[in-house]
Short mmCIF file of all heavy atoms in Angstrom, two decimals:
data_model
loop_
_atom_site.label_atom_id
_atom_site.label_comp_id
_atom_site.label_asym_id
_atom_site.label_seq_id
_atom_site.Cartn_x
_atom_site.Cartn_y
_atom_site.Cartn_z
N MET U 399 0.85 -1.19 0.00
CA MET U 399 0.00 0.00 0.00
C MET U 399 0.87 1.24 0.00
O MET U 399 1.91 1.30 0.67
CB MET U 399 -0.90 -0.01 1.24
CG MET U 399 -1.62 1.29 1.51
SD MET U 399 -2.61 1.21 3.02
CE MET U 399 -4.07 0.39 2.41
N ARG U 400 0.44 2.23 -0.77
CA ARG U 400 1.11 3.53 -0.76
C ARG U 400 0.06 4.61 -0.55
O ARG U 400 -1.10 4.44 -0.94
CB ARG U 400 1.87 3.79 -2.06
CG ARG U 400 2.96 2.75 -2.30
CD ARG U 400 3.71 3.03 -3.57
NE ARG U 400 4.44 4.31 -3.47
CZ ARG U 400 5.06 4.89 -4.49
NH1 ARG U 400 5.02 4.34 -5.69
NH2 ARG U 400 5.71 6.01 -4.31
N VAL U 401 0.45 5.71 0.05
CA VAL U 401 -0.49 6.79 0.34
C VAL U 401 0.15 8.13 -0.04
O VAL U 401 1.31 8.37 0.27
CB VAL U 401 -0.85 6.83 1.84
CG1 VAL U 401 -1.85 7.95 2.11
CG2 VAL U 401 -1.46 5.51 2.27
N VAL U 402 -0.63 8.94 -0.74
CA VAL U 402 -0.17 10.26 -1.13
C VAL U 402 -1.19 11.27 -0.64
O VAL U 402 -2.41 11.05 -0.76
CB VAL U 402 -0.03 10.36 -2.68
CG1 VAL U 402 0.33 11.77 -3.08
CG2 VAL U 402 0.99 9.35 -3.18
N ILE U 403 -0.70 12.36 -0.09
CA ILE U 403 -1.59 13.48 0.27
C ILE U 403 -1.51 14.53 -0.84
O ILE U 403 -0.42 14.99 -1.19
CB ILE U 403 -1.15 14.16 1.59
CG1 ILE U 403 -1.05 13.16 2.74
CG2 ILE U 403 -2.10 15.32 1.94
CD1 ILE U 403 -2.34 12.73 3.34
N ASP U 404 -2.64 14.87 -1.40
CA ASP U 404 -2.69 15.94 -2.41
C ASP U 404 -2.67 17.29 -1.68
O ASP U 404 -3.68 17.72 -1.13
CB ASP U 404 -3.96 15.78 -3.25
CG ASP U 404 -4.04 16.82 -4.38
OD1 ASP U 404 -3.35 17.84 -4.29
OD2 ASP U 404 -4.78 16.56 -5.34
N GLY U 405 -1.50 17.89 -1.67
CA GLY U 405 -1.34 19.13 -0.91
C GLY U 405 -2.20 20.27 -1.40
O GLY U 405 -2.51 21.20 -0.64
N ALA U 406 -2.62 20.21 -2.65
CA ALA U 406 -3.50 21.26 -3.19
C ALA U 406 -4.92 21.13 -2.64
O ALA U 406 -5.66 22.10 -2.61
CB ALA U 406 -3.51 21.19 -4.71
N LYS U 407 -5.28 19.90 -2.24
CA LYS U 407 -6.63 19.68 -1.72
C LYS U 407 -6.71 19.73 -0.20
O LYS U 407 -7.75 20.07 0.37
CB LYS U 407 -7.14 18.30 -2.17
CG LYS U 407 -7.54 18.22 -3.62
CD LYS U 407 -8.16 16.88 -3.91
CE LYS U 407 -8.75 16.78 -5.30
NZ LYS U 407 -9.33 15.45 -5.53
N CYS U 408 -5.62 19.33 0.49
CA CYS U 408 -5.65 19.28 1.94
C CYS U 408 -5.92 20.66 2.51
O CYS U 408 -5.27 21.63 2.18
CB CYS U 408 -4.31 18.76 2.49
SG CYS U 408 -4.24 18.76 4.30
N SER U 409 -6.94 20.71 3.38
CA SER U 409 -7.33 21.98 3.98
C SER U 409 -7.04 22.03 5.48
O SER U 409 -7.48 22.94 6.17
CB SER U 409 -8.81 22.24 3.74
OG SER U 409 -9.08 22.33 2.37
N GLY U 410 -6.33 21.04 5.96
CA GLY U 410 -5.88 21.08 7.35
C GLY U 410 -6.94 20.81 8.37
O GLY U 410 -6.86 21.29 9.50
N TYR U 411 -7.95 20.01 8.05
CA TYR U 411 -8.98 19.70 9.02
C TYR U 411 -8.51 18.75 10.12
O TYR U 411 -9.05 18.72 11.20
CB TYR U 411 -10.21 19.09 8.34
CG TYR U 411 -10.99 20.05 7.48
CD1 TYR U 411 -10.90 20.01 6.10
CD2 TYR U 411 -11.78 21.04 8.07
CE1 TYR U 411 -11.59 20.90 5.31
CE2 TYR U 411 -12.49 21.93 7.29
CZ TYR U 411 -12.39 21.86 5.90
OH TYR U 411 -13.08 22.75 5.14
N GLY U 412 -7.48 17.95 9.78
CA GLY U 412 -6.91 17.06 10.80
C GLY U 412 -7.67 15.80 11.05
O GLY U 412 -7.34 15.04 11.97
N THR U 413 -8.72 15.52 10.28
CA THR U 413 -9.49 14.30 10.48
C THR U 413 -8.62 13.06 10.37
O THR U 413 -8.76 12.11 11.15
CB THR U 413 -10.63 14.22 9.44
OG1 THR U 413 -11.40 15.42 9.53
CG2 THR U 413 -11.53 13.02 9.68
N CYS U 414 -7.72 13.05 9.40
CA CYS U 414 -6.86 11.89 9.19
C CYS U 414 -5.99 11.62 10.42
O CYS U 414 -5.84 10.47 10.84
CB CYS U 414 -5.98 12.09 7.96
SG CYS U 414 -5.03 13.63 7.99
N ASN U 415 -5.48 12.67 11.02
CA ASN U 415 -4.66 12.51 12.21
C ASN U 415 -5.49 11.95 13.37
O ASN U 415 -5.00 11.16 14.18
CB ASN U 415 -4.03 13.86 12.57
CG ASN U 415 -3.19 13.81 13.83
OD1 ASN U 415 -3.65 14.21 14.89
ND2 ASN U 415 -1.98 13.32 13.72
N GLY U 416 -6.75 12.33 13.42
CA GLY U 416 -7.64 11.80 14.45
C GLY U 416 -7.92 10.33 14.24
O GLY U 416 -8.07 9.59 15.22
N VAL U 417 -7.96 9.88 12.99
CA VAL U 417 -8.19 8.47 12.70
C VAL U 417 -6.93 7.66 13.00
O VAL U 417 -7.00 6.59 13.61
CB VAL U 417 -8.61 8.28 11.22
CG1 VAL U 417 -8.65 6.79 10.87
CG2 VAL U 417 -9.96 8.92 10.98
N SER U 418 -5.78 8.15 12.58
CA SER U 418 -4.52 7.42 12.80
C SER U 418 -3.35 8.39 12.94
O SER U 418 -2.75 8.79 11.94
CB SER U 418 -4.26 6.43 11.70
OG SER U 418 -3.02 5.74 11.96
N SER U 419 -3.02 8.72 14.16
CA SER U 419 -1.87 9.60 14.39
C SER U 419 -0.55 8.89 14.14
O SER U 419 0.50 9.52 14.02
CB SER U 419 -1.90 10.16 15.82
OG SER U 419 -1.86 9.10 16.75
N ALA U 420 -0.60 7.55 14.05
CA ALA U 420 0.61 6.80 13.74
C ALA U 420 1.02 6.95 12.28
O ALA U 420 2.19 6.82 11.95
CB ALA U 420 0.39 5.32 14.05
N ILE U 421 0.07 7.27 11.43
CA ILE U 421 0.33 7.37 10.00
C ILE U 421 0.34 8.82 9.54
O ILE U 421 1.21 9.26 8.81
CB ILE U 421 -0.74 6.59 9.19
CG1 ILE U 421 -0.77 5.12 9.62
CG2 ILE U 421 -0.51 6.75 7.68
CD1 ILE U 421 0.48 4.35 9.30
N PHE U 422 -0.70 9.56 9.93
CA PHE U 422 -0.90 10.92 9.41
C PHE U 422 -0.43 11.93 10.44
O PHE U 422 -1.00 12.04 11.54
CB PHE U 422 -2.37 11.14 9.06
CG PHE U 422 -2.87 10.22 8.00
CD1 PHE U 422 -3.58 9.07 8.36
CD2 PHE U 422 -2.65 10.47 6.66
CE1 PHE U 422 -4.04 8.20 7.39
CE2 PHE U 422 -3.11 9.61 5.68
CZ PHE U 422 -3.80 8.47 6.04
N LYS U 423 0.59 12.67 10.09
CA LYS U 423 1.12 13.74 10.94
C LYS U 423 0.65 15.07 10.40
O LYS U 423 0.29 15.18 9.22
CB LYS U 423 2.67 13.70 10.95
CG LYS U 423 3.26 12.33 11.24
CD LYS U 423 2.96 11.85 12.63
CE LYS U 423 3.66 10.51 12.89
NZ LYS U 423 3.36 9.96 14.18
N LEU U 424 0.65 16.08 11.27
CA LEU U 424 0.25 17.42 10.85
C LEU U 424 1.44 18.36 11.02
O LEU U 424 2.12 18.32 12.05
CB LEU U 424 -0.93 17.91 11.69
CG LEU U 424 -2.20 17.05 11.64
CD1 LEU U 424 -3.27 17.64 12.56
CD2 LEU U 424 -2.72 16.89 10.21
N ASP U 425 1.67 19.19 10.02
CA ASP U 425 2.77 20.15 10.14
C ASP U 425 2.34 21.36 10.99
O ASP U 425 1.23 21.38 11.53
CB ASP U 425 3.29 20.56 8.74
CG ASP U 425 2.29 21.37 7.94
OD1 ASP U 425 1.32 21.91 8.53
OD2 ASP U 425 2.48 21.48 6.71
N ASP U 426 3.20 22.34 11.11
CA ASP U 426 2.94 23.48 11.98
C ASP U 426 1.69 24.26 11.59
O ASP U 426 1.13 25.00 12.39
CB ASP U 426 4.14 24.42 11.99
CG ASP U 426 5.35 23.80 12.71
OD1 ASP U 426 5.15 22.80 13.44
OD2 ASP U 426 6.47 24.29 12.52
N TRP U 427 1.26 24.10 10.34
CA TRP U 427 0.07 24.84 9.85
C TRP U 427 -1.16 23.93 9.83
O TRP U 427 -2.20 24.34 9.36
CB TRP U 427 0.34 25.39 8.44
CG TRP U 427 1.43 26.43 8.46
CD1 TRP U 427 1.28 27.77 8.71
CD2 TRP U 427 2.82 26.20 8.30
NE1 TRP U 427 2.51 28.38 8.68
CE2 TRP U 427 3.47 27.46 8.44
CE3 TRP U 427 3.59 25.07 8.05
CZ2 TRP U 427 4.86 27.57 8.34
CZ3 TRP U 427 4.97 25.22 7.94
CH2 TRP U 427 5.58 26.45 8.08
N GLY U 428 -1.01 22.69 10.28
CA GLY U 428 -2.14 21.77 10.35
C GLY U 428 -2.35 20.93 9.11
O GLY U 428 -3.33 20.18 9.04
N TYR U 429 -1.44 21.05 8.13
CA TYR U 429 -1.59 20.26 6.92
C TYR U 429 -0.97 18.88 7.11
O TYR U 429 0.06 18.74 7.80
CB TYR U 429 -0.97 20.98 5.72
CG TYR U 429 -1.69 22.27 5.38
CD1 TYR U 429 -1.17 23.49 5.75
CD2 TYR U 429 -2.90 22.22 4.71
CE1 TYR U 429 -1.85 24.68 5.46
CE2 TYR U 429 -3.58 23.39 4.42
CZ TYR U 429 -3.06 24.60 4.79
OH TYR U 429 -3.74 25.77 4.51
N ALA U 430 -1.57 17.90 6.47
CA ALA U 430 -1.17 16.52 6.71
C ALA U 430 -0.02 16.07 5.84
O ALA U 430 0.16 16.50 4.71
CB ALA U 430 -2.36 15.60 6.45
N TYR U 431 0.78 15.17 6.40
CA TYR U 431 1.77 14.43 5.63
C TYR U 431 1.85 13.02 6.20
O TYR U 431 1.44 12.78 7.34
CB TYR U 431 3.14 15.13 5.63
CG TYR U 431 3.80 15.26 6.99
CD1 TYR U 431 4.74 14.34 7.42
CD2 TYR U 431 3.47 16.32 7.84
CE1 TYR U 431 5.35 14.46 8.67
CE2 TYR U 431 4.07 16.44 9.08
CZ TYR U 431 5.02 15.50 9.50
OH TYR U 431 5.60 15.61 10.72
N VAL U 432 2.35 12.11 5.38
CA VAL U 432 2.45 10.70 5.77
C VAL U 432 3.87 10.43 6.24
O VAL U 432 4.83 10.73 5.54
CB VAL U 432 2.06 9.77 4.61
CG1 VAL U 432 2.31 8.32 4.99
CG2 VAL U 432 0.60 9.98 4.25
N ASP U 433 3.98 9.83 7.42
CA ASP U 433 5.28 9.49 7.98
C ASP U 433 5.28 8.02 8.34
O ASP U 433 5.14 7.66 9.50
CB ASP U 433 5.58 10.37 9.20
CG ASP U 433 6.96 10.10 9.76
OD1 ASP U 433 7.83 9.61 9.01
OD2 ASP U 433 7.18 10.36 10.96
N ALA U 434 5.37 7.16 7.30
CA ALA U 434 5.32 5.72 7.54
C ALA U 434 5.86 4.99 6.33
O ALA U 434 5.64 5.44 5.18
CB ALA U 434 3.88 5.28 7.80
N ASP U 435 6.57 3.89 6.57
CA ASP U 435 7.02 3.10 5.44
C ASP U 435 5.89 2.16 5.00
O ASP U 435 4.83 2.09 5.62
CB ASP U 435 8.30 2.34 5.79
CG ASP U 435 8.11 1.38 6.97
OD1 ASP U 435 6.96 0.99 7.26
OD2 ASP U 435 9.14 1.04 7.60
N GLU U 436 6.15 1.43 3.91
CA GLU U 436 5.09 0.63 3.32
C GLU U 436 4.60 -0.46 4.28
O GLU U 436 3.38 -0.73 4.36
CB GLU U 436 5.57 0.01 2.00
CG GLU U 436 4.43 -0.45 1.13
CD GLU U 436 4.83 -0.62 -0.33
OE1 GLU U 436 5.88 -0.10 -0.74
OE2 GLU U 436 4.08 -1.30 -1.04
N ALA U 437 5.49 -1.07 5.02
CA ALA U 437 5.09 -2.12 5.97
C ALA U 437 4.17 -1.56 7.06
O ALA U 437 3.21 -2.20 7.45
CB ALA U 437 6.33 -2.77 6.57
N THR U 438 4.49 -0.37 7.53
CA THR U 438 3.65 0.28 8.55
C THR U 438 2.28 0.63 7.98
O THR U 438 1.27 0.46 8.64
CB THR U 438 4.36 1.53 9.10
OG1 THR U 438 5.66 1.17 9.57
CG2 THR U 438 3.57 2.14 10.23
N LEU U 439 2.27 1.13 6.75
CA LEU U 439 0.98 1.42 6.11
C LEU U 439 0.14 0.16 6.00
O LEU U 439 -1.07 0.18 6.30
CB LEU U 439 1.22 2.02 4.73
CG LEU U 439 1.81 3.42 4.69
CD1 LEU U 439 2.21 3.79 3.28
CD2 LEU U 439 0.82 4.43 5.26
N ASP U 440 0.77 -0.94 5.59
CA ASP U 440 0.04 -2.20 5.44
C ASP U 440 -0.53 -2.65 6.80
O ASP U 440 -1.64 -3.17 6.88
CB ASP U 440 0.92 -3.28 4.87
CG ASP U 440 1.24 -3.05 3.38
OD1 ASP U 440 0.52 -2.25 2.76
OD2 ASP U 440 2.20 -3.66 2.89
N ALA U 441 0.23 -2.44 7.87
CA ALA U 441 -0.22 -2.85 9.19
C ALA U 441 -1.40 -2.01 9.69
O ALA U 441 -2.15 -2.43 10.55
CB ALA U 441 0.93 -2.77 10.18
N HIS U 442 -1.54 -0.80 9.14
CA HIS U 442 -2.63 0.11 9.52
C HIS U 442 -3.60 0.33 8.35
O HIS U 442 -4.26 1.38 8.26
CB HIS U 442 -2.06 1.47 9.97
CG HIS U 442 -1.28 1.42 11.24
ND1 HIS U 442 0.01 1.00 11.31
CD2 HIS U 442 -1.63 1.74 12.52
CE1 HIS U 442 0.46 1.07 12.56
NE2 HIS U 442 -0.54 1.51 13.31
N ALA U 443 -3.70 -0.68 7.49
CA ALA U 443 -4.44 -0.48 6.24
C ALA U 443 -5.89 -0.06 6.45
O ALA U 443 -6.39 0.81 5.74
CB ALA U 443 -4.38 -1.77 5.40
N ASP U 444 -6.57 -0.66 7.42
CA ASP U 444 -7.98 -0.30 7.64
C ASP U 444 -8.11 1.17 8.04
O ASP U 444 -9.01 1.87 7.57
CB ASP U 444 -8.60 -1.19 8.72
CG ASP U 444 -8.84 -2.63 8.22
OD1 ASP U 444 -8.76 -2.84 6.99
OD2 ASP U 444 -9.07 -3.51 9.06
N ASP U 445 -7.23 1.63 8.90
CA ASP U 445 -7.28 3.04 9.33
C ASP U 445 -6.92 3.97 8.18
O ASP U 445 -7.51 5.06 8.05
CB ASP U 445 -6.30 3.28 10.48
CG ASP U 445 -6.84 2.75 11.82
OD1 ASP U 445 -8.06 2.49 11.90
OD2 ASP U 445 -6.05 2.65 12.77
N VAL U 446 -5.98 3.57 7.34
CA VAL U 446 -5.61 4.39 6.18
C VAL U 446 -6.80 4.56 5.24
O VAL U 446 -7.12 5.67 4.79
CB VAL U 446 -4.40 3.77 5.45
CG1 VAL U 446 -4.17 4.48 4.11
CG2 VAL U 446 -3.16 3.81 6.33
N ARG U 447 -7.49 3.45 4.97
CA ARG U 447 -8.65 3.53 4.09
C ARG U 447 -9.75 4.35 4.71
O ARG U 447 -10.44 5.14 4.04
CB ARG U 447 -9.16 2.11 3.77
CG ARG U 447 -8.20 1.29 2.98
CD ARG U 447 -8.83 -0.04 2.55
NE ARG U 447 -7.81 -0.96 2.05
CZ ARG U 447 -7.34 -2.01 2.76
NH1 ARG U 447 -7.81 -2.26 3.96
NH2 ARG U 447 -6.39 -2.78 2.26
N ARG U 448 -9.95 4.20 6.01
CA ARG U 448 -11.00 4.98 6.70
C ARG U 448 -10.66 6.47 6.66
O ARG U 448 -11.55 7.32 6.41
CB ARG U 448 -11.11 4.52 8.15
CG ARG U 448 -12.26 5.14 8.88
CD ARG U 448 -12.39 4.61 10.31
NE ARG U 448 -12.83 5.68 11.19
CZ ARG U 448 -12.50 5.83 12.45
NH1 ARG U 448 -11.69 4.96 13.02
NH2 ARG U 448 -12.96 6.82 13.17
N ALA U 449 -9.41 6.82 6.89
CA ALA U 449 -9.01 8.23 6.82
C ALA U 449 -9.28 8.80 5.44
O ALA U 449 -9.75 9.92 5.29
CB ALA U 449 -7.54 8.37 7.20
N ALA U 450 -8.98 8.00 4.39
CA ALA U 450 -9.23 8.46 3.03
C ALA U 450 -10.72 8.70 2.79
O ALA U 450 -11.11 9.69 2.16
CB ALA U 450 -8.67 7.45 2.04
N ARG U 451 -11.55 7.80 3.33
CA ARG U 451 -13.02 7.97 3.17
C ARG U 451 -13.51 9.21 3.90
O ARG U 451 -14.40 9.90 3.41
CB ARG U 451 -13.76 6.74 3.71
CG ARG U 451 -13.76 5.55 2.80
CD ARG U 451 -14.83 4.53 3.25
NE ARG U 451 -14.78 4.19 4.65
CZ ARG U 451 -14.04 3.20 5.17
NH1 ARG U 451 -13.30 2.46 4.37
NH2 ARG U 451 -14.05 2.94 6.45
N GLU U 452 -12.93 9.47 5.05
CA GLU U 452 -13.44 10.56 5.91
C GLU U 452 -12.82 11.91 5.64
O GLU U 452 -13.31 12.92 6.16
CB GLU U 452 -13.25 10.15 7.38
CG GLU U 452 -14.12 8.94 7.73
CD GLU U 452 -14.11 8.63 9.23
OE1 GLU U 452 -13.51 9.39 10.00
OE2 GLU U 452 -14.70 7.59 9.61
N CYS U 453 -11.76 11.94 4.86
CA CYS U 453 -11.14 13.25 4.53
C CYS U 453 -12.18 14.12 3.81
O CYS U 453 -12.70 13.73 2.77
CB CYS U 453 -9.92 13.06 3.65
SG CYS U 453 -9.25 14.65 3.08
N PRO U 454 -12.49 15.30 4.35
CA PRO U 454 -13.57 16.11 3.76
C PRO U 454 -13.23 16.67 2.39
O PRO U 454 -14.14 17.10 1.67
CB PRO U 454 -13.76 17.25 4.80
CG PRO U 454 -12.57 17.21 5.68
CD PRO U 454 -11.98 15.85 5.61
N THR U 455 -11.98 16.67 2.01
CA THR U 455 -11.62 17.21 0.69
C THR U 455 -11.09 16.14 -0.27
O THR U 455 -10.56 16.47 -1.33
CB THR U 455 -10.56 18.33 0.84
OG1 THR U 455 -9.39 17.77 1.45
CG2 THR U 455 -11.10 19.48 1.68
N ASP U 456 -11.20 14.88 0.12
CA ASP U 456 -10.69 13.77 -0.72
C ASP U 456 -9.21 13.96 -1.10
O ASP U 456 -8.82 13.70 -2.25
CB ASP U 456 -11.54 13.62 -2.00
CG ASP U 456 -12.95 13.12 -1.69
OD1 ASP U 456 -13.11 12.37 -0.70
OD2 ASP U 456 -13.87 13.49 -2.42
N ALA U 457 -8.43 14.40 -0.14
CA ALA U 457 -7.04 14.69 -0.42
C ALA U 457 -6.12 13.49 -0.25
O ALA U 457 -4.93 13.54 -0.62
CB ALA U 457 -6.56 15.80 0.51
N ILE U 458 -6.66 12.39 0.31
CA ILE U 458 -5.83 11.23 0.58
C ILE U 458 -6.01 10.20 -0.53
O ILE U 458 -7.10 9.68 -0.72
CB ILE U 458 -6.18 10.59 1.95
CG1 ILE U 458 -5.98 11.64 3.06
CG2 ILE U 458 -5.34 9.35 2.20
CD1 ILE U 458 -6.48 11.20 4.42
N ILE U 459 -4.93 9.93 -1.24
CA ILE U 459 -4.96 8.97 -2.36
C ILE U 459 -4.29 7.68 -1.91
O ILE U 459 -3.11 7.69 -1.52
CB ILE U 459 -4.23 9.57 -3.57
CG1 ILE U 459 -4.89 10.89 -3.97
CG2 ILE U 459 -4.22 8.58 -4.73
CD1 ILE U 459 -3.99 11.81 -4.72
N VAL U 460 -5.04 6.59 -1.95
CA VAL U 460 -4.53 5.30 -1.52
C VAL U 460 -4.28 4.45 -2.76
O VAL U 460 -5.16 4.32 -3.61
CB VAL U 460 -5.51 4.57 -0.59
CG1 VAL U 460 -5.00 3.20 -0.21
CG2 VAL U 460 -5.79 5.41 0.66
N GLN U 461 -3.07 3.91 -2.85
CA GLN U 461 -2.71 3.01 -3.93
C GLN U 461 -2.49 1.64 -3.33
O GLN U 461 -1.53 1.46 -2.58
CB GLN U 461 -1.46 3.51 -4.65
CG GLN U 461 -1.66 4.91 -5.22
CD GLN U 461 -0.36 5.58 -5.64
OE1 GLN U 461 0.71 5.28 -5.13
NE2 GLN U 461 -0.47 6.49 -6.59
N GLU U 462 -3.41 0.71 -3.61
CA GLU U 462 -3.33 -0.63 -3.01
C GLU U 462 -2.24 -1.46 -3.68
O GLU U 462 -1.92 -1.30 -4.82
CB GLU U 462 -4.67 -1.33 -3.15
CG GLU U 462 -5.82 -0.60 -2.47
CD GLU U 462 -5.83 -0.80 -0.95
OE1 GLU U 462 -5.00 -1.58 -0.44
OE2 GLU U 462 -6.67 -0.16 -0.29
S1 SF4 P 1546 -8.33 14.89 6.68
FE1 SF4 P 1546 -7.81 15.53 4.60
S2 SF4 P 1546 -7.99 17.76 4.61
FE2 SF4 P 1546 -7.83 17.06 6.72
S3 SF4 P 1546 -5.66 17.19 7.26
FE3 SF4 P 1546 -6.07 15.10 6.56
S4 SF4 P 1546 -5.62 15.11 4.37
FE4 SF4 P 1546 -5.83 17.25 5.02
#
């Protein structure tokens, strides 16, 4: 699994961080970035998919 955050769409709501703070980190301005290797993403796959579904701007792109 791979995950990309579309920085042009991310509006800093932080929902993804609330779903999985182990995967989705927030920078000083509240915008999300992914800090995890592929094995860690796979181990948190259900949370990654849930965060993508719940992101209000559809900024999280999951590549299975
Ligand atoms: S939930 Fe979406 S809009 Fe909010 S911080 Fe995460 S990626 Fe950005």
Side-chain angles (χ1 to χ4, degrees):
M399 168 182 279
R400 298 182 65 188
V401 180
V402 175
I403 305 282
D404 183 340
K407 286 186 173 179
C408 176
S409 297
Y411 290 105
T413 305
C414 53
N415 178 260
V417 171
S418 180
S419 60
I421 302 294
F422 299 98
K423 311 294 184 183
L424 302 179
D425 67 17
D426 291 343
W427 295 272
Y429 294 103
Y431 63 95
V432 174
D433 183 24
D435 60 21
E436 198 161 343
T438 305
L439 291 170
D440 289 344
H442 292 80
D444 287 346
D445 283 345
V446 170
R447 294 187 194 104
R448 186 178 146 213
R451 282 196 309 272
E452 294 188 4
C453 173
T455 60
D456 291 330
I458 301 173
I459 301 156
V460 178
Q461 301 166 334
E462 300 283 354

